[in-house]
Amino acid sequence: MALKHHYKFCFGPWNISEGQDPYGPSTRPVQTFDWKLAELKQLGFDAMMFHDDDAVPDIDTKSESQICKEARDLRKKLDDAGIVAEMVAPRLWFSPLTIDGAYTSNDPKHRQYAIDRSLRSIDIAKILGTDLLVLWLAREGTYLREAKNSRRSVELLVEALDKMLAHDKKIRLAIEPKPNEPMDHAYIPTIGHALALGPLTAAPKRVGALIETAHCILAGLDPSDEMAFAMSFDKLWSLHLNDQNGLKFDQDKPFGSANLRGAFNQVRVLEQNSYGSRGEYVCFDVHPFRTTKPEHWLAHLDNSRRTFLRLVEKVRSFDEPRAKQLTFQRDYQALDQMVIDHLLGKD
């Protein structure tokens, strides 16, 4: 078992959502960023993750000097609150210019827009004090396979990554894969696809991955296995922990809400591989249930952190020698019940 260490926690301003979904309006009033920042520290969190337009609202309407000024103002707010920026991600999927994809759009002007905005996001990240740019390739895919050339799309992705890597020699790119939604089929649906892009770039050591629990489940994969796979390459640079009830839309349930044993195994593999010992954060990409009242607005974040820490205790008190013995004896029935009893507090 890895040496024990202290975990650091993170969430994004979008995780305190107002309850709007594709089929209905908001159910809670809008809260200011300053309110969210103040609540973050009180909950025991250490960092905040940002989309570029979380850091600089209406980013497409502003000059480079305006963007830099607002990013510096945000940095001061974070410093004053004792909070760090964990990452920045260009929110390309909201733009009318990325309807047909961003880096893989059929329109070269739209591809250039995506690259330019990504470079501005790198500049924002540098000002905020983080070297991590997260790329959720939300619209890099197709509704119709005949509409794009898949191999050419991979080449376009690599070209875009190379331009980002050349823009700042210290930036690290963490690709966040997802098999579907909003696209019917994505070009980079799993962590294996994401890591395979790295060697095609000009700086493979600076291309890694972010894994989200729900995205793995949506691909029919086990999140703990995907995490272990990425860590075997030393490429798991961030996490979005949440939960998911089957192969449905991306639900962003509180961590451990739907599958507590699955959550236990995720924490166990993080412990086994010393995740966080080099400064990585545990981020919760969770949303309150749509019916949540404003007075309970932050419970999903607090509950996710509490569940994670309780599962850390469970992992560290798990009888690993006994588990190894049962495995050697091929007594998987006993091992299965041993895990259940441990989670139920009956051992």
Side-chain angles (χ1 to χ4, degrees), residues 24-246:
S26 299
T27 58
R28 294 175 290 274
V30 175
Q31 283 289 2
T32 66
F33 173 80
D34 289 345
W35 181 86
K36 295 176 181 180
L37 181 60
E39 295 295 329
L40 187 151
K41 194 67 175 181
Q42 293 184 32
L43 284 175
F45 284 76
D46 308 279
M48 186 175 279
M49 47 185 172
F50 293 93
H51 297 112
D52 55 356
D53 57 3
D54 293 319
V56 181
D58 302 315
I59 188 172
D60 282 335
T61 67
K62 295 174 179 174
S63 66
E64 288 189 24
S65 61
Q66 287 177 302
I67 291 170
C68 291
K69 179 185 181 303
E70 292 190 29
R72 287 192 293 269
D73 291 343
L74 174 59
R75 173 67 182 270
K76 186 178 186 306
K77 282 187 179 182
L78 296 175
D79 288 346
D80 291 345
I83 297 295
V84 302
E86 191 255 352
M87 64 84 166
V88 174
R91 199 195 312 250
L92 299 173
W93 54 95
F94 267 26
S95 172
L97 300 179
T98 61
I99 292 174
D100 194 34
Y103 309 122
T104 64
S105 173
N106 286 323
D107 189 327
K109 293 180 181 178
H110 295 172
R111 297 199 299 269
Q112 188 60 51
Y113 161 80
I115 292 171
D116 290 342
R117 181 155 169 176
S118 300
L119 300 186
R120 288 199 298 272
S121 297
I122 292 173
D123 295 337
I124 292 171
K126 185 174 183 178
I127 292 171
L128 295 184
T130 178
D131 68 348
L132 191 62
L133 190 80
V134 170
L135 301 175
W136 178 41
L137 306 176
R139 299 202 185 277
E140 312 304 351
T142 64
Y143 298 106
L144 299 172
R145 276 295 177 257
E146 299 85 355
K148 288 183 180 178
N149 182 308
S150 298
R151 179 170 179 172
R152 176 58 179 154
S153 292
V154 172
E155 293 170 351
L156 289 172
L157 284 171
V158 173
E159 289 175 14
L161 296 178
D162 279 345
K163 289 178 181 178
M164 293 178 231
L165 293 165
H167 184 73
D168 187 318
K169 298 299 184 182
K170 294 184 178 179
I171 199 69
R172 295 180 300 140
L173 308 179
I175 298 171
E176 179 182 356
K178 186 178 182 182
N180 52 33
E181 193 192 24
M183 300 304 293
D184 183 29
H185 292 289
Y187 284 131
I188 309 298
T190 69
I191 198 65
H193 290 82
L195 295 181
L197 281 181
L200 298 178
T201 68
K205 291 183 179 179
R206 291 193 284 132
V207 180
L210 181 155
I211 286 181
E212 175 167 323
T213 302
H215 295 183
C216 298
I217 296 171
L218 286 169
L221 300 170
D222 183 271
S224 64
D225 283 347
E226 296 298 278
M227 292 171 189
F229 181 79
M231 286 186 285
S232 71
F233 289 85
D234 199 23
K235 293 286 190 175
L236 184 58
W237 294 343
S238 187
L239 282 172
H240 283 178
L241 297 184
N242 50 29
D243 214 339
Q244 177 74 21
N245 182 19

Side-chain angles (χ1 to χ4, degrees), residues 18-27 249 290:
E18 289 76 38
Q20 182 177 355
D21 67 21
Y23 303 100
S26 299
T27 58
F249 60 92
R290 187 167 188 264

